[in-house]
Amino acid sequence: MTVLILAAVTSSFESTMMYTALPSLEEGFGVDISAASWVLTGFLLVGAASAAIAGRLGDVFGRKRVLLVLLIASVFGSVISLAIPTIGGVILGRAIQGVAGGIIPLAFGIIREHVNKKNLSIAIAVTAGAAMLAGAGGNLVSGYIVEFAGWHWIFVVSGVLTLLTTILAIWLPGSIRTGARDRIDWLGGILFAPAIGLILFGINVSTGLGWASPVVWTMMGVGLVLLAFWAIWEYRQKTPMVNVRYFAQRNLGLTYLITALTGFGLGGAGYLGQLIMQYPTAAPVGFGVAPGAAGLTSFCIGLFGFLLSPLAGRIARGGRAKTSFIISAVAGIIAAILTALSATVWDSFPAFIFSQVILTISTAFLLSSIPLLVVEGSAAKNTSEATGISTVIQTASSGIGTSVTAAILGVFAVQLTEHFAPSSEIGYIIIFAVTAVLTGIALVASLFLKRTPSIAADEADDASADDIEAPILVH
């Protein structure tokens, strides 16, 4: 359990560790936010693919073996980011680190194999809690590292932590192999990530080349063709990695739509708060907070969300997942509006912090309601597969949100110094307006969810232990 908790902590830490470092990357490499944000987008896109295929590979080759491979690859990613002193090198290393997106599902699988049923819920809950705190702690630790040592040392800490986890994981008990090698849908597991990546790359380079550039439309066109091919391919497979047939089912299809729409806002929220806090007061939007203090602020807000999660989960149970999501959506819309006003109109740091607390409330209810909406909308035998698809959608849409919000900021950038060009107020207003609109659409879509019978108490407990926690933690 200690090793698996450490593995989950490592994965969550790597997912958030670069949020606080984005302003430093902009300054250090002389790039705008649309370029620097690829250290987040690359990680999320690869993480989505890793989450999609890691479980299936674990069934075929053994979860322990696949876990070790992912940990070693993550160490290699840290080395690449340190060894290549360019923004491209950092992005490449972070993309390789993205395989960590598959670590937590594997950890839960190993727990399910080796922990008795009586202690299974406790084991998963403890691992889940540790990973959530590690995600919030990524901002805290990296903030002080950036302030006192420089962003390079984030990769040193990450590499050492992952290497230690890898060494300890060698002594984990072996895993049972249950899958057939000839049934792995390799193409379906990995194709959607580069397809989305090409579309996002076209959107990002449009800020420099302009929308009339053939490069922009070629990238986006090829990405859309690949995405369509992927969907057709998965539909025709008997054992697809991502079962797109679920999208045709009313409740599941609506839940996946809701997941995608809200995932966009989650992707931007992860780092926009850090940018707004750290950018200097001379910028159009910024409060001039030091990286360490900004990371500490995010950690405290995240800790509040962690403490709120049990309440959100309790409200979502008993067939009330729709109610829990409605609370999340309403809070999300309010948070988007308050963030825009506090940062651009009022220029009030206390009001901004209050908006982030509201956002955390929205996130806590969202992460509790989405998995249960999937459970309520799917047959018991398909729960794991259905929740896995939700995880992939949420991770990929977060990557899209990260990239698109950065592109919008780049379009409205104003020159502050020779190497620093933050966005004007209008850029942030557009982003938060888009987030509020998408959340509003998700809210309307949730009203069309068909009410389903409450899950029996014993089935709900099993579902929450075996299937629900994992997708929450992957995010």
Side-chain angles (χ1 to χ4, degrees):
M1 280 304 303
T2 301
V3 175
L4 294 176
I5 288 172
L6 188 59
V9 165
T10 299
S11 176
S12 293
F13 175 79
E14 290 186 343
S15 70
T16 61
M17 69 182 195
M18 295 306 293
Y19 288 168
T20 314
L22 283 184
S24 297
L25 293 178
E26 289 182 72
E27 283 290 311
F29 292 111
V31 297
D32 60 18
I33 186 60
S34 61
S37 69
W38 275 92
V39 302
L40 308 179
T41 303
F43 181 95
L44 289 169
L45 292 180
V46 175
S50 180
I53 67 176
R56 189 68 57 87
L57 294 180
D59 292 340
V60 175
F61 299 104
R63 294 184 177 94
K64 172 186 173 180
R65 185 174 298 178
V66 177
L67 176 65
L68 287 170
V69 171
L70 297 187
L71 287 169
I72 292 171
S74 186
V75 174
F76 184 66
S78 293
V79 174
I80 289 293
S81 293
L82 282 170
I84 304 179
T86 64
I87 187 62
V90 177
I91 293 171
L92 175 62
R94 283 287 290 167
I96 295 173
Q97 272 190 330
V99 300
I103 288 176
I104 293 179
L106 287 171
F108 279 96
I110 295 173
I111 290 174
R112 192 172 185 180
E113 279 184 337
H114 297 287
V115 175
N116 60 59
K117 189 173 182 179
K118 178 181 178 181
N119 297 320
L120 184 60
S121 297
I122 296 175
I124 290 179
V126 170
T127 307
M132 291 183 72
L133 285 178
N139 284 320
L140 174 63
V141 175
S142 61
Y144 283 109
I145 291 176
V146 169
E147 186 172 347
F148 296 107
W151 63 265
H152 300 82
W153 284 91
I154 297 177
F155 290 102
V156 175
V157 172
S158 172
V160 171
L161 176 62
T162 311
L163 182 61
L164 173 63
T165 305
T166 305
I167 295 172
L168 294 176
I170 295 173
W171 280 274
L172 285 171
S175 298
I176 302 170
R177 305 180 192 180
T178 59
R181 296 192 181 190
D182 58 347
R183 294 184 179 179
I184 301 176
D185 178 24
W186 294 100
L187 187 63
I190 63 176
L191 185 61
F192 74 92
I196 295 175
L198 284 172
I199 297 172
L200 295 181
F201 184 75
I203 294 174
N204 274 259
V205 298
S206 68
T207 59
L209 300 178
W211 283 102
S213 171
V215 175
V216 173
W217 292 104
T218 299
M219 290 292 180
M220 295 177 63
V222 172
L224 288 171
V225 170
L226 284 178
L227 194 61
F229 174 78
W230 167 80
I232 295 171
W233 173 271
E234 290 296 83
Y235 182 79
R236 292 180 175 180
Q237 298 303 302
K238 291 183 178 180
T239 56
M241 193 68 74
V242 178
N243 194 341
V244 296
R245 296 181 183 88
Y246 288 153
F247 288 83
Q249 299 179 22
R250 175 172 171 172
N251 273 24
L252 274 180
L254 286 172
T255 299
Y256 292 152
L257 173 63
I258 289 169
T259 302
L261 291 171
T262 54
F264 179 93
L266 288 174
Y271 73 95
L272 281 179
Q274 286 295 316
L275 295 183
I276 293 172
M277 282 192 285
Q278 290 188 52
Y279 276 166
T281 54
V285 176
F287 293 110
V289 179
L296 178 60
T297 302
S298 294
F299 175 77
C300 292
I301 295 174
L303 182 60
F304 172 74
F306 167 71
L307 296 175
L308 189 66
S309 294
L311 173 62
R314 184 172 295 276
I315 292 176
R317 287 189 176 186
R320 296 189 300 271
K322 177 179 175 179
T323 301
S324 185
F325 174 76
I326 291 174
I327 295 173
S328 169
V330 172
I333 294 171
I334 294 173
I337 296 172
L338 285 179
T339 303
L341 291 174
S342 61
T344 63
V345 179
W346 302 335
D347 194 25
S348 170
F349 188 65
F352 174 77
I353 295 299
F354 179 72
S355 72
Q356 298 306 287
V357 172
I358 301 298
L359 177 62
T360 297
I361 294 173
S362 172
T363 303
F365 277 88
L366 176 69
L367 297 183
S368 297
S369 60
I370 291 294
L372 275 170
L373 284 174
V374 176
V375 171
E376 292 175 4
S378 59
K381 63 179 181 179
N382 298 327
T383 300
S384 294
E385 185 179 18
T387 51
I389 294 172
S390 176
T391 299
V392 173
I393 293 173
Q394 190 175 72
T395 307
S397 59
S398 293
I400 294 172
T402 299
S403 185
V404 173
T405 54
I408 294 174
L409 292 179
V411 169
F412 295 96
V414 294
Q415 198 69 30
L416 188 62
T417 65
E418 183 179 354
H419 300 294
F420 187 49
S423 175
S424 64
E425 293 93 338
I426 189 64
Y428 290 96
I429 292 173
I430 290 175
I431 289 171
F432 293 121
V434 170
T435 301
V437 169
L438 292 179
T439 306
I441 296 173
L443 175 60
V444 173
S446 70
L447 300 179
F448 292 91
L449 287 167
K450 186 177 180 181
R451 184 172 178 81
T452 57
S454 299
I455 303 171
D458 55 344
E459 184 180 347
D461 289 339
D462 290 340
S464 63
D466 299 341
D467 302 312
I468 296 175
E469 300 287 2
I472 292 177
L473 264 296
V474 169
H475 169 80

